[in-house]
Amino acid sequence: MQIALIGWQGGGKSTLFTALTGSEPAAGAEAHPGVAEIPDEQLDRLHELYPPAKKIRAKVEYLDVAGLAATQKRSGLKRSLISHLQGASVLAPVIGLYAFGAADPAELANLVTAELRDLEVELLLSDLQTAEARRERIDRTRRTGQSVDRTEDAAIDEVLAALNAETPLREIDFAPERDRALRSFGFLTKKPLLTVINRGEEQDGEAIAAALGETLSGKRRATAVVDARLEAEIALLDEEDRAPFLRELGIERPASERVLQAGFALLGLIRFFTVGDDEVRSWPIVEGTPAVQAAGEIHSDLQRGFIRAEVVSSDDLLAHGSLAACRDKGLLRLEGKDYRVRDGDVMHVRFAV
């Protein structure tokens, strides 16, 4: 999973990047990646059953993209910038409010809405350029007498109709075959949108969220309110100092966890576990993934030679202390390749290649 931080200059993207990754982005880079481990209390508890094993958390990649200048409005994004964003799983516009001090929450909410609307226009224009270029290529192929992919042809028409109506593609329910035809284009407005509101210390995040109401809600959209400067300071502390500092400030969960949770929900992700004396590991997958495909996340050989999966819920494993005990209780079961893996499953794959 990759979450790309985008927005106008001065929004605090790089500060948020530090809050999320615990590292500072390289100065001057158009796009700077950073990796963070995904906290998982269930994984921590499972590791206690296998103390010699290596604990491997799932990871998320953040991409800090260079801020847009106000002079770039209504021009679409640069081609190089689009290339960076096309590989992202989620786009996260960072809207900075900290410069406005203790302004009225309703006024701050209006600023968020306006800035996000301007940014969405840039994404729409960028997608329109991509779709128009593809339409020209398809038409050129047709004029030469060669056949064209009818599904892609119809999908591009549907895309152009939506974009010309200023409708983000994430709001369109494409037919499955058209959706598959569009995947390679990486349309930006088709990606889930996680708006991160970067508030100032004197601003009330809950009041801002209340003033926004349902304004930012919609299909494949979510919102998080953070104080990026404060969260960055916390992220740079030694691990043993973070928890007491969070408690002192009354912060239940750091921004890194809240943003991750929102990203997981937008993508419909769950996680399953593999356990053993060598390693205990968490694997994120899309909810509803069949066991045979989940096995492929571990290794392609497991998917290719899949026979059965031994499955038990992590809660049952923790309650009974071992796979052997779960087997004796009838809780460890054999599942076929079509079994839909559930959140928190512990899975061991039987395979032959």
mmCIF file of all heavy atoms in Angstrom, residues 168-213:
data_model
loop_
_atom_site.group_PDB
_atom_site.id
_atom_site.type_symbol
_atom_site.label_atom_id
_atom_site.label_comp_id
_atom_site.label_asym_id
_atom_site.label_seq_id
_atom_site.Cartn_x
_atom_site.Cartn_y
_atom_site.Cartn_z
ATOM 1 N N PRO A 168 -15.412 13.186 -10.520
ATOM 2 C CA PRO A 168 -14.264 12.304 -10.264
ATOM 3 C C PRO A 168 -14.619 10.851 -10.583
ATOM 4 O O PRO A 168 -15.738 10.401 -10.325
ATOM 5 C CB PRO A 168 -14.010 12.493 -8.763
ATOM 6 C CG PRO A 168 -14.638 13.814 -8.424
ATOM 7 C CD PRO A 168 -15.825 13.929 -9.313
ATOM 8 N N LEU A 169 -13.665 10.127 -11.123
ATOM 9 C CA LEU A 169 -13.922 8.758 -11.565
ATOM 10 C C LEU A 169 -14.189 7.820 -10.404
ATOM 11 O O LEU A 169 -14.785 6.753 -10.598
ATOM 12 C CB LEU A 169 -12.742 8.249 -12.399
ATOM 13 C CG LEU A 169 -12.444 9.063 -13.672
ATOM 14 C CD1 LEU A 169 -11.266 8.437 -14.432
ATOM 15 C CD2 LEU A 169 -13.667 9.148 -14.558
ATOM 16 N N ARG A 170 -13.770 8.173 -9.184
ATOM 17 C CA ARG A 170 -14.047 7.303 -8.030
ATOM 18 C C ARG A 170 -15.546 7.224 -7.747
ATOM 19 O O ARG A 170 -16.004 6.331 -7.046
ATOM 20 C CB ARG A 170 -13.279 7.792 -6.793
ATOM 21 C CG ARG A 170 -13.838 9.013 -6.111
ATOM 22 C CD ARG A 170 -13.009 9.443 -4.933
ATOM 23 N NE ARG A 170 -11.752 10.024 -5.375
ATOM 24 C CZ ARG A 170 -11.625 11.319 -5.698
ATOM 25 N NH1 ARG A 170 -12.665 12.142 -5.627
ATOM 26 N NH2 ARG A 170 -10.470 11.788 -6.102
ATOM 27 N N GLU A 171 -16.316 8.161 -8.300
ATOM 28 C CA GLU A 171 -17.755 8.167 -8.066
ATOM 29 C C GLU A 171 -18.524 7.348 -9.108
ATOM 30 O O GLU A 171 -19.750 7.211 -9.006
ATOM 31 C CB GLU A 171 -18.270 9.613 -8.062
ATOM 32 C CG GLU A 171 -17.688 10.460 -6.935
ATOM 33 C CD GLU A 171 -18.210 11.893 -6.942
ATOM 34 O OE1 GLU A 171 -19.155 12.174 -7.715
ATOM 35 O OE2 GLU A 171 -17.675 12.724 -6.174
ATOM 36 N N ILE A 172 -17.817 6.820 -10.108
ATOM 37 C CA ILE A 172 -18.463 6.067 -11.182
ATOM 38 C C ILE A 172 -18.365 4.568 -10.902
ATOM 39 O O ILE A 172 -17.295 4.052 -10.579
ATOM 40 C CB ILE A 172 -17.803 6.379 -12.548
ATOM 41 C CG1 ILE A 172 -17.786 7.899 -12.806
ATOM 42 C CG2 ILE A 172 -18.518 5.636 -13.669
ATOM 43 C CD1 ILE A 172 -19.145 8.532 -12.862
ATOM 44 N N ASP A 173 -19.488 3.874 -11.035
ATOM 45 C CA ASP A 173 -19.495 2.414 -10.920
ATOM 46 C C ASP A 173 -19.293 1.822 -12.310
ATOM 47 O O ASP A 173 -20.264 1.587 -13.045
ATOM 48 C CB ASP A 173 -20.819 1.924 -10.314
ATOM 49 C CG ASP A 173 -20.944 2.269 -8.846
ATOM 50 O OD1 ASP A 173 -19.947 2.113 -8.118
ATOM 51 O OD2 ASP A 173 -22.035 2.702 -8.430
ATOM 52 N N PHE A 174 -18.034 1.601 -12.671
ATOM 53 C CA PHE A 174 -17.744 1.025 -13.985
ATOM 54 C C PHE A 174 -18.105 -0.461 -13.987
ATOM 55 O O PHE A 174 -17.947 -1.152 -12.968
ATOM 56 C CB PHE A 174 -16.258 1.189 -14.326
ATOM 57 C CG PHE A 174 -15.832 2.607 -14.554
ATOM 58 C CD1 PHE A 174 -15.217 3.344 -13.545
ATOM 59 C CD2 PHE A 174 -16.043 3.217 -15.778
ATOM 60 C CE1 PHE A 174 -14.826 4.650 -13.748
ATOM 61 C CE2 PHE A 174 -15.649 4.538 -15.994
ATOM 62 C CZ PHE A 174 -15.039 5.246 -14.981
ATOM 63 N N ALA A 175 -18.573 -0.941 -15.132
ATOM 64 C CA ALA A 175 -18.781 -2.379 -15.284
ATOM 65 C C ALA A 175 -17.446 -3.082 -15.086
ATOM 66 O O ALA A 175 -16.391 -2.512 -15.420
ATOM 67 C CB ALA A 175 -19.346 -2.682 -16.676
ATOM 68 N N PRO A 176 -17.445 -4.301 -14.522
ATOM 69 C CA PRO A 176 -16.183 -4.989 -14.208
ATOM 70 C C PRO A 176 -15.195 -5.048 -15.371
ATOM 71 O O PRO A 176 -14.002 -4.822 -15.181
ATOM 72 C CB PRO A 176 -16.637 -6.383 -13.785
ATOM 73 C CG PRO A 176 -18.021 -6.189 -13.263
ATOM 74 C CD PRO A 176 -18.620 -5.112 -14.103
ATOM 75 N N GLU A 177 -15.678 -5.340 -16.580
ATOM 76 C CA GLU A 177 -14.758 -5.463 -17.714
ATOM 77 C C GLU A 177 -14.161 -4.106 -18.088
ATOM 78 O O GLU A 177 -12.992 -4.011 -18.472
ATOM 79 C CB GLU A 177 -15.455 -6.108 -18.913
ATOM 80 C CG GLU A 177 -16.615 -5.324 -19.513
ATOM 81 C CD GLU A 177 -17.939 -5.554 -18.796
ATOM 82 O OE1 GLU A 177 -17.928 -6.209 -17.733
ATOM 83 O OE2 GLU A 177 -18.978 -5.084 -19.305
ATOM 84 N N ARG A 178 -14.944 -3.041 -17.950
ATOM 85 C CA ARG A 178 -14.409 -1.704 -18.230
ATOM 86 C C ARG A 178 -13.436 -1.284 -17.135
ATOM 87 O O ARG A 178 -12.419 -0.635 -17.416
ATOM 88 C CB ARG A 178 -15.550 -0.694 -18.355
ATOM 89 C CG ARG A 178 -16.417 -0.898 -19.588
ATOM 90 C CD ARG A 178 -17.422 0.243 -19.769
ATOM 91 N NE ARG A 178 -18.284 0.008 -20.919
ATOM 92 C CZ ARG A 178 -19.201 0.858 -21.350
ATOM 93 N NH1 ARG A 178 -19.373 2.017 -20.716
ATOM 94 N NH2 ARG A 178 -19.946 0.566 -22.396
ATOM 95 N N ASP A 179 -13.755 -1.622 -15.916
ATOM 96 C CA ASP A 179 -12.867 -1.297 -14.802
ATOM 97 C C ASP A 179 -11.494 -1.936 -15.013
ATOM 98 O O ASP A 179 -10.457 -1.295 -14.798
ATOM 99 C CB ASP A 179 -13.485 -1.776 -13.494
ATOM 100 C CG ASP A 179 -12.766 -1.233 -12.286
ATOM 101 O OD1 ASP A 179 -12.696 0.003 -12.135
ATOM 102 O OD2 ASP A 179 -12.249 -2.040 -11.493
ATOM 103 N N ARG A 180 -11.488 -3.194 -15.453
ATOM 104 C CA ARG A 180 -10.207 -3.880 -15.722
ATOM 105 C C ARG A 180 -9.459 -3.187 -16.851
ATOM 106 O O ARG A 180 -8.232 -3.050 -16.796
ATOM 107 C CB ARG A 180 -10.463 -5.346 -16.069
ATOM 108 C CG ARG A 180 -10.814 -6.220 -14.880
ATOM 109 C CD ARG A 180 -10.790 -7.692 -15.229
ATOM 110 N NE ARG A 180 -11.837 -8.038 -16.182
ATOM 111 C CZ ARG A 180 -13.067 -8.411 -15.833
ATOM 112 N NH1 ARG A 180 -13.393 -8.481 -14.556
ATOM 113 N NH2 ARG A 180 -13.958 -8.732 -16.754
ATOM 114 N N ALA A 181 -10.182 -2.738 -17.871
ATOM 115 C CA ALA A 181 -9.540 -2.080 -19.018
ATOM 116 C C ALA A 181 -8.889 -0.753 -18.628
ATOM 117 O O ALA A 181 -7.941 -0.305 -19.290
ATOM 118 C CB ALA A 181 -10.566 -1.851 -20.125
ATOM 119 N N LEU A 182 -9.361 -0.137 -17.555
ATOM 120 C CA LEU A 182 -8.866 1.181 -17.148
ATOM 121 C C LEU A 182 -7.724 1.121 -16.143
ATOM 122 O O LEU A 182 -7.084 2.139 -15.873
ATOM 123 C CB LEU A 182 -10.012 2.006 -16.556
ATOM 124 C CG LEU A 182 -11.161 2.373 -17.508
ATOM 125 C CD1 LEU A 182 -12.289 3.041 -16.743
ATOM 126 C CD2 LEU A 182 -10.665 3.289 -18.624
ATOM 127 N N ARG A 183 -7.454 -0.050 -15.581
ATOM 128 C CA ARG A 183 -6.493 -0.133 -14.486
ATOM 129 C C ARG A 183 -5.106 0.359 -14.874
ATOM 130 O O ARG A 183 -4.411 0.974 -14.072
ATOM 131 C CB ARG A 183 -6.418 -1.571 -13.968
ATOM 132 C CG ARG A 183 -7.622 -1.975 -13.134
ATOM 133 C CD ARG A 183 -7.565 -3.420 -12.713
ATOM 134 N NE ARG A 183 -8.815 -3.831 -12.075
ATOM 135 C CZ ARG A 183 -9.116 -5.068 -11.780
ATOM 136 N NH1 ARG A 183 -8.262 -6.050 -12.064
ATOM 137 N NH2 ARG A 183 -10.276 -5.359 -11.215
ATOM 138 N N SER A 184 -4.679 0.081 -16.080
ATOM 139 C CA SER A 184 -3.306 0.413 -16.478
ATOM 140 C C SER A 184 -3.080 1.913 -16.622
ATOM 141 O O SER A 184 -1.934 2.361 -16.684
ATOM 142 C CB SER A 184 -2.944 -0.295 -17.786
ATOM 143 O OG SER A 184 -3.779 0.157 -18.838
ATOM 144 N N PHE A 185 -4.149 2.703 -16.669
ATOM 145 C CA PHE A 185 -3.985 4.142 -16.887
ATOM 146 C C PHE A 185 -3.694 4.907 -15.600
ATOM 147 O O PHE A 185 -3.195 6.032 -15.643
ATOM 148 C CB PHE A 185 -5.240 4.719 -17.571
ATOM 149 C CG PHE A 185 -5.481 4.177 -18.948
ATOM 150 C CD1 PHE A 185 -6.424 3.190 -19.153
ATOM 151 C CD2 PHE A 185 -4.740 4.619 -20.022
ATOM 152 C CE1 PHE A 185 -6.650 2.664 -20.415
ATOM 153 C CE2 PHE A 185 -4.945 4.106 -21.290
ATOM 154 C CZ PHE A 185 -5.898 3.115 -21.490
ATOM 155 N N GLY A 186 -4.019 4.337 -14.465
ATOM 156 C CA GLY A 186 -3.731 4.999 -13.195
ATOM 157 C C GLY A 186 -4.410 6.332 -13.033
ATOM 158 O O GLY A 186 -3.825 7.292 -12.501
ATOM 159 N N PHE A 187 -5.665 6.447 -13.483
ATOM 160 C CA PHE A 187 -6.382 7.722 -13.376
ATOM 161 C C PHE A 187 -6.407 8.190 -11.921
ATOM 162 O O PHE A 187 -6.753 7.445 -11.007
ATOM 163 C CB PHE A 187 -7.813 7.577 -13.908
ATOM 164 C CG PHE A 187 -7.898 7.479 -15.402
ATOM 165 C CD1 PHE A 187 -8.378 6.331 -16.015
ATOM 166 C CD2 PHE A 187 -7.493 8.544 -16.194
ATOM 167 C CE1 PHE A 187 -8.452 6.243 -17.394
ATOM 168 C CE2 PHE A 187 -7.564 8.461 -17.580
ATOM 169 C CZ PHE A 187 -8.039 7.310 -18.182
ATOM 170 N N LEU A 188 -6.070 9.470 -11.722
ATOM 171 C CA LEU A 188 -5.899 9.989 -10.364
ATOM 172 C C LEU A 188 -7.222 10.150 -9.628
ATOM 173 O O LEU A 188 -7.308 9.887 -8.427
ATOM 174 C CB LEU A 188 -5.140 11.314 -10.409
ATOM 175 C CG LEU A 188 -3.763 11.266 -11.096
ATOM 176 C CD1 LEU A 188 -3.080 12.628 -11.004
ATOM 177 C CD2 LEU A 188 -2.883 10.183 -10.491
ATOM 178 N N THR A 189 -8.277 10.596 -10.348
ATOM 179 C CA THR A 189 -9.553 10.797 -9.663
ATOM 180 C C THR A 189 -10.287 9.481 -9.434
ATOM 181 O O THR A 189 -11.360 9.468 -8.834
ATOM 182 C CB THR A 189 -10.475 11.753 -10.447
ATOM 183 O OG1 THR A 189 -10.817 11.158 -11.713
ATOM 184 C CG2 THR A 189 -9.806 13.094 -10.662
ATOM 185 N N LYS A 190 -9.718 8.381 -9.886
ATOM 186 C CA LYS A 190 -10.300 7.066 -9.617
ATOM 187 C C LYS A 190 -9.773 6.498 -8.291
ATOM 188 O O LYS A 190 -10.331 5.543 -7.750
ATOM 189 C CB LYS A 190 -9.969 6.114 -10.766
ATOM 190 C CG LYS A 190 -10.851 4.878 -10.866
ATOM 191 C CD LYS A 190 -10.583 4.142 -12.181
ATOM 192 C CE LYS A 190 -11.528 2.960 -12.320
ATOM 193 N NZ LYS A 190 -11.315 1.931 -11.317
ATOM 194 N N LYS A 191 -8.715 7.084 -7.795
ATOM 195 C CA LYS A 191 -8.094 6.592 -6.560
ATOM 196 C C LYS A 191 -8.866 7.095 -5.338
ATOM 197 O O LYS A 191 -9.426 8.192 -5.353
ATOM 198 C CB LYS A 191 -6.637 7.054 -6.478
ATOM 199 C CG LYS A 191 -5.763 6.514 -7.612
ATOM 200 C CD LYS A 191 -4.335 6.997 -7.484
ATOM 201 C CE LYS A 191 -3.479 6.499 -8.647
ATOM 202 N NZ LYS A 191 -3.371 5.033 -8.650
ATOM 203 N N PRO A 192 -8.883 6.309 -4.263
ATOM 204 C CA PRO A 192 -9.496 6.786 -3.017
ATOM 205 C C PRO A 192 -8.817 8.067 -2.537
ATOM 206 O O PRO A 192 -7.619 8.276 -2.766
ATOM 207 C CB PRO A 192 -9.250 5.633 -2.039
ATOM 208 C CG PRO A 192 -9.021 4.427 -2.891
ATOM 209 C CD PRO A 192 -8.357 4.939 -4.129
ATOM 210 N N LEU A 193 -9.601 8.919 -1.894
ATOM 211 C CA LEU A 193 -9.109 10.223 -1.451
ATOM 212 C C LEU A 193 -9.198 10.308 0.073
ATOM 213 O O LEU A 193 -10.286 10.229 0.646
ATOM 214 C CB LEU A 193 -9.946 11.331 -2.096
ATOM 215 C CG LEU A 193 -9.318 12.716 -2.206
ATOM 216 C CD1 LEU A 193 -8.134 12.689 -3.173
ATOM 217 C CD2 LEU A 193 -10.347 13.726 -2.697
ATOM 218 N N LEU A 194 -8.050 10.466 0.714
ATOM 219 C CA LEU A 194 -7.975 10.610 2.174
ATOM 220 C C LEU A 194 -7.506 12.030 2.481
ATOM 221 O O LEU A 194 -6.313 12.335 2.397
ATOM 222 C CB LEU A 194 -7.007 9.577 2.754
ATOM 223 C CG LEU A 194 -6.626 9.723 4.233
ATOM 224 C CD1 LEU A 194 -7.849 9.773 5.126
ATOM 225 C CD2 LEU A 194 -5.691 8.589 4.649
ATOM 226 N N THR A 195 -8.444 12.893 2.800
ATOM 227 C CA THR A 195 -8.112 14.298 3.079
ATOM 228 C C THR A 195 -7.578 14.426 4.501
ATOM 229 O O THR A 195 -8.248 14.028 5.461
ATOM 230 C CB THR A 195 -9.343 15.196 2.906
ATOM 231 O OG1 THR A 195 -9.863 15.039 1.586
ATOM 232 C CG2 THR A 195 -8.984 16.658 3.134
ATOM 233 N N VAL A 196 -6.367 14.985 4.637
ATOM 234 C CA VAL A 196 -5.751 15.185 5.950
ATOM 235 C C VAL A 196 -5.746 16.681 6.241
ATOM 236 O O VAL A 196 -5.096 17.458 5.531
ATOM 237 C CB VAL A 196 -4.322 14.628 5.997
ATOM 238 C CG1 VAL A 196 -3.727 14.829 7.387
ATOM 239 C CG2 VAL A 196 -4.308 13.149 5.627
ATOM 240 N N ILE A 197 -6.489 17.081 7.255
ATOM 241 C CA ILE A 197 -6.565 18.491 7.646
ATOM 242 C C ILE A 197 -5.515 18.734 8.714
ATOM 243 O O ILE A 197 -5.552 18.164 9.806
ATOM 244 C CB ILE A 197 -7.969 18.823 8.179
ATOM 245 C CG1 ILE A 197 -9.008 18.570 7.081
ATOM 246 C CG2 ILE A 197 -8.034 20.270 8.661
ATOM 247 C CD1 ILE A 197 -10.441 18.647 7.571
ATOM 248 N N ASN A 198 -4.553 19.581 8.382
ATOM 249 C CA ASN A 198 -3.433 19.874 9.265
ATOM 250 C C ASN A 198 -3.756 21.136 10.066
ATOM 251 O O ASN A 198 -3.602 22.249 9.595
ATOM 252 C CB ASN A 198 -2.159 20.069 8.429
ATOM 253 C CG ASN A 198 -0.943 20.321 9.292
ATOM 254 O OD1 ASN A 198 -0.964 20.104 10.500
ATOM 255 N ND2 ASN A 198 0.133 20.783 8.672
ATOM 256 N N ARG A 199 -4.247 20.925 11.288
ATOM 257 C CA ARG A 199 -4.696 22.045 12.119
ATOM 258 C C ARG A 199 -3.556 22.626 12.936
ATOM 259 O O ARG A 199 -2.506 21.999 13.126
ATOM 260 C CB ARG A 199 -5.812 21.583 13.054
ATOM 261 C CG ARG A 199 -5.339 20.616 14.138
ATOM 262 C CD ARG A 199 -6.452 20.316 15.116
ATOM 263 N NE ARG A 199 -6.029 19.391 16.170
ATOM 264 C CZ ARG A 199 -5.421 19.752 17.291
ATOM 265 N NH1 ARG A 199 -5.143 21.027 17.510
ATOM 266 N NH2 ARG A 199 -5.077 18.853 18.203
ATOM 267 N N GLY A 200 -3.782 23.828 13.448
ATOM 268 C CA GLY A 200 -2.836 24.452 14.362
ATOM 269 C C GLY A 200 -3.129 24.062 15.799
ATOM 270 O O GLY A 200 -4.209 23.552 16.120
ATOM 271 N N GLU A 201 -2.177 24.335 16.677
ATOM 272 C CA GLU A 201 -2.306 23.943 18.085
ATOM 273 C C GLU A 201 -3.516 24.593 18.748
ATOM 274 O O GLU A 201 -4.170 23.999 19.606
ATOM 275 C CB GLU A 201 -1.027 24.316 18.832
ATOM 276 C CG GLU A 201 -0.997 23.859 20.280
ATOM 277 C CD GLU A 201 0.323 24.194 20.965
ATOM 278 O OE1 GLU A 201 1.225 24.711 20.279
ATOM 279 O OE2 GLU A 201 0.431 23.947 22.180
ATOM 280 N N GLU A 202 -3.820 25.835 18.334
ATOM 281 C CA GLU A 202 -4.922 26.569 18.972
ATOM 282 C C GLU A 202 -6.268 26.293 18.315
ATOM 283 O O GLU A 202 -7.284 26.873 18.707
ATOM 284 C CB GLU A 202 -4.633 28.080 18.945
ATOM 285 C CG GLU A 202 -4.626 28.695 17.550
ATOM 286 C CD GLU A 202 -3.292 28.556 16.825
ATOM 287 O OE1 GLU A 202 -2.631 27.511 16.980
ATOM 288 O OE2 GLU A 202 -2.924 29.483 16.094
ATOM 289 N N GLN A 203 -6.297 25.433 17.321
ATOM 290 C CA GLN A 203 -7.534 25.130 16.605
ATOM 291 C C GLN A 203 -8.132 23.818 17.111
ATOM 292 O O GLN A 203 -7.407 22.869 17.409
ATOM 293 C CB GLN A 203 -7.264 25.047 15.095
ATOM 294 C CG GLN A 203 -6.811 26.384 14.498
ATOM 295 C CD GLN A 203 -6.230 26.234 13.095
ATOM 296 O OE1 GLN A 203 -5.952 25.128 12.640
ATOM 297 N NE2 GLN A 203 -6.040 27.355 12.418
ATOM 298 N N ASP A 204 -9.449 23.769 17.171
ATOM 299 C CA ASP A 204 -10.175 22.616 17.696
ATOM 300 C C ASP A 204 -10.525 21.680 16.534
ATOM 301 O O ASP A 204 -11.394 21.993 15.715
ATOM 302 C CB ASP A 204 -11.453 23.093 18.406
ATOM 303 C CG ASP A 204 -12.198 21.961 19.100
ATOM 304 O OD1 ASP A 204 -12.056 20.794 18.672
ATOM 305 O OD2 ASP A 204 -12.933 22.244 20.059
ATOM 306 N N GLY A 205 -9.847 20.541 16.484
ATOM 307 C CA GLY A 205 -10.066 19.597 15.389
ATOM 308 C C GLY A 205 -11.491 19.073 15.334
ATOM 309 O O GLY A 205 -12.071 18.936 14.253
ATOM 310 N N GLU A 206 -12.077 18.794 16.504
ATOM 311 C CA GLU A 206 -13.447 18.275 16.534
ATOM 312 C C GLU A 206 -14.438 19.326 16.049
ATOM 313 O O GLU A 206 -15.408 19.005 15.349
ATOM 314 C CB GLU A 206 -13.803 17.828 17.951
ATOM 315 C CG GLU A 206 -13.033 16.584 18.403
ATOM 316 C CD GLU A 206 -13.483 16.090 19.773
ATOM 317 O OE1 GLU A 206 -14.418 16.697 20.338
ATOM 318 O OE2 GLU A 206 -12.909 15.101 20.264
ATOM 319 N N ALA A 207 -14.198 20.585 16.385
ATOM 320 C CA ALA A 207 -15.095 21.657 15.946
ATOM 321 C C ALA A 207 -14.997 21.849 14.431
ATOM 322 O O ALA A 207 -16.009 22.102 13.758
ATOM 323 C CB ALA A 207 -14.752 22.959 16.674
ATOM 324 N N ILE A 208 -13.793 21.722 13.890
ATOM 325 C CA ILE A 208 -13.618 21.841 12.438
ATOM 326 C C ILE A 208 -14.345 20.699 11.728
ATOM 327 O O ILE A 208 -15.051 20.900 10.734
ATOM 328 C CB ILE A 208 -12.116 21.841 12.070
ATOM 329 C CG1 ILE A 208 -11.426 23.077 12.642
ATOM 330 C CG2 ILE A 208 -11.936 21.790 10.548
ATOM 331 C CD1 ILE A 208 -9.912 23.026 12.568
ATOM 332 N N ALA A 209 -14.188 19.480 12.259
ATOM 333 C CA ALA A 209 -14.857 18.321 11.671
ATOM 334 C C ALA A 209 -16.374 18.483 11.735
ATOM 335 O O ALA A 209 -17.090 18.151 10.780
ATOM 336 C CB ALA A 209 -14.423 17.048 12.393
ATOM 337 N N ALA A 210 -16.864 19.025 12.858
ATOM 338 C CA ALA A 210 -18.308 19.234 13.000
ATOM 339 C C ALA A 210 -18.803 20.275 12.001
ATOM 340 O O ALA A 210 -19.897 20.146 11.434
ATOM 341 C CB ALA A 210 -18.634 19.658 14.429
ATOM 342 N N ALA A 211 -18.007 21.331 11.790
ATOM 343 C CA ALA A 211 -18.399 22.377 10.844
ATOM 344 C C ALA A 211 -18.417 21.849 9.407
ATOM 345 O O ALA A 211 -19.236 22.274 8.585
ATOM 346 C CB ALA A 211 -17.448 23.565 10.953
ATOM 347 N N LEU A 212 -17.534 20.913 9.117
ATOM 348 C CA LEU A 212 -17.498 20.320 7.780
ATOM 349 C C LEU A 212 -18.700 19.406 7.558
ATOM 350 O O LEU A 212 -19.214 19.295 6.437
ATOM 351 C CB LEU A 212 -16.202 19.521 7.585
ATOM 352 C CG LEU A 212 -14.955 20.333 7.289
ATOM 353 C CD1 LEU A 212 -13.706 19.479 7.467
ATOM 354 C CD2 LEU A 212 -15.015 20.893 5.869
ATOM 355 N N GLY A 213 -19.156 18.757 8.629
ATOM 356 C CA GLY A 213 -20.288 17.846 8.502
ATOM 357 C C GLY A 213 -20.020 16.770 7.466
ATOM 358 O O GLY A 213 -19.006 16.084 7.500
#
